[in-house]
Amino acid sequence: MTFRSAVITFPGSNCDRDMADALEKVSGTAPHRVWHGDDALPDGLDFIALPGGFSYGDYLRSGAMAARSHIMKAVIEAAGRGVPVLGVCNGFQVLTESGLLPGALMRNAGIRFVCRDVKLTVENNQSLFTSGYTAGQEILIPVAHHDGNYFADDATLDRLEGEGRVAFRYAELVNGSARAIAGVLNAAGNVLGMMPHPERMIEPEQGGTDGRALFESAIQGLVGA
Amino acid sequence: MKVRVYVSLKNGVLDPQGRAIHHAIEGLGFSGVQDVRAGRLIELDVDDTVTDDALEAMAQQLLANMVIENYRIERVAA
């Protein structure tokens, strides 16, 4: 069965090709490339990816404008039907701004842009996106962001932790995120937002392959091995 | 008519930019500044027919992120 995925490109997205490459290399099928101004998504999608970058120049707030673009109405509707949605970096910011995920991503606590490989801990390996990892596994994935400092009120953080919706945590100091949260799932488990870039760690030439299992587990979970 | 929307971080939300500005103020040799919080001022030029409800909706749906920010709307007499 063919894996039908889409990568959404906003003006200012700059990791859309990396994301498309990762999806193609792992699934064997090139994703549809969808422009932010499109009104509709291709039919029958198995997977939607919101890539990293600086959509709309980060004007107003990172991800704020993209979250209100035409295509996001279709993405929100698809997510509501259970279509898996992965948002990485700016894609994560778009997911929180659009209300698909709780919380907000604020300026890094250290003010500086952080661009390096960081250690993450897999907190929940029961989700569609993380079943290829073992619980507690430490993985190395790069980050590259200025606004990755995850914030939510304590009640929301308690709920996220209680419901197993923290997918990844930083295993080192990175950006001041509340409870070192690096990636969160929605209640239904079909939407994952994360600041680190798994699509940049799928081949040895990239310096590591720890991101590959995320795509493999999602693809196998959706269309069978 | 001019409308000003002031967007500020909620109390209790850490403000790294405000803290950096605070450090810079102290670096310039000024003392007595206890805290700095950075916000955003957005000016709109609107028709008189634009209602308060519409302005509230704009602020809540886009201008402020209600997870972390508060807003205050001020109509400015011409």
Side-chain angles (χ1 to χ4, degrees):
Chain A
M1 192 179 151
T2 310
F3 179 70
R4 286 174 62 83
S5 63
V7 176
I8 316 289
T9 300
F10 301 100
S13 295
N14 64 8
C15 303
D16 43 337
R17 274 190 67 171
D18 294 22
M19 183 65 82
D21 269 4
L23 285 166
E24 179 168 3
K25 281 183 173 135
V26 180
S27 74
T29 309
H32 294 271
R33 304 296 296 274
V34 178
W35 181 240
H36 71 105
D38 294 350
D39 288 318
L41 292 163
D43 289 332
L45 285 179
D46 298 308
F47 192 92
I48 300 167
L50 304 180
F54 301 85
S55 57
Y56 298 85
D58 281 348
Y59 289 171
L60 191 63
R61 298 176 302 273
S62 298
M65 313 304 260
R68 283 128 185 117
S69 63
H70 267 289
I71 198 64
M72 279 307 293
K73 293 192 184 84
V75 173
I76 291 166
E77 190 268 332
R81 276 189 284 114
V83 177
V85 179
L86 169 67
V88 168
C89 200
N90 189 222
F92 186 13
Q93 295 161 343
V94 174
L95 289 173
T96 57
E97 278 284 343
S98 68
L100 283 173
L101 290 175
L105 291 146
M106 305 186 54
R107 181 55 38 104
N108 293 342
I111 303 289
R112 292 209 170 88
F113 194 96
V114 179
C115 185
R116 60 183 163 88
D117 295 347
V118 300
K119 287 185 193 137
L120 305 179
T121 309
V122 179
E123 289 292 318
N124 171 351
N125 74 330
Q126 303 295 308
S127 80
L128 173 70
F129 305 94
T130 57
S131 61
Y133 300 104
T134 53
Q137 184 178 346
E138 199 167 85
I139 58 176
L140 191 70
I141 304 279
V143 297
H145 60 247
H146 212 166
D147 296 318
N149 181 353
Y150 186 73
F151 174 88
D153 59 45
D154 283 333
T156 303
L157 293 170
D158 289 344
R159 199 177 71 239
L160 289 175
E161 292 187 321
E163 295 174 354
R165 289 166 58 189
V166 176
F168 301 102
R169 250 189 254 272
Y170 299 108
E172 57 185 282
L173 290 176
V174 176
N175 54 24
S177 282
R179 304 187 193 178
I181 289 172
V184 296
L185 294 154
N186 70 342
N190 67 311
V191 178
L192 170 67
M194 60 192 294
M195 290 311 295
H197 288 271
E199 79 280 12
R200 294 189 191 173
M201 280 295 198
I202 60 156
E203 297 179 296
E205 292 79 3
Q206 293 171 306
T209 57
D210 283 354
R212 194 175 181 96
L214 188 150
F215 294 98
E216 284 174 346
S217 50
I219 290 162
Q220 285 169 11
L222 290 163
V223 296
Chain B
M1 167 182 273
K2 283 260 195 314
V3 172
R4 291 190 183 132
V5 181
Y6 297 88
V7 180
S8 55
L9 285 175
K10 288 182 176 171
N11 285 336
V13 175
L14 202 70
D15 180 8
Q17 292 178 95
R19 208 168 50 185
I21 295 166
H22 193 183
H23 282 311
I25 289 172
E26 289 174 339
L28 289 172
F30 295 104
S31 60
V33 178
Q34 297 302 321
D35 193 21
V36 177
R37 309 276 287 168
R40 177 184 283 116
L41 165 63
I42 299 166
E43 285 193 336
L44 313 176
D45 196 348
V46 304
D47 294 340
D48 292 345
T49 52
V50 174
T51 63
D52 286 350
D53 284 351
L55 292 170
E56 292 278 338
M58 288 175 213
Q60 289 182 19
Q61 290 173 34
L62 177 65
L63 303 180
N65 179 337
M66 301 306 292
V67 176
I68 48 173
E69 294 170 330
N70 290 321
Y71 65 89
R72 181 166 58 82
I73 297 170
E74 183 182 285
R75 286 183 185 261
V76 184

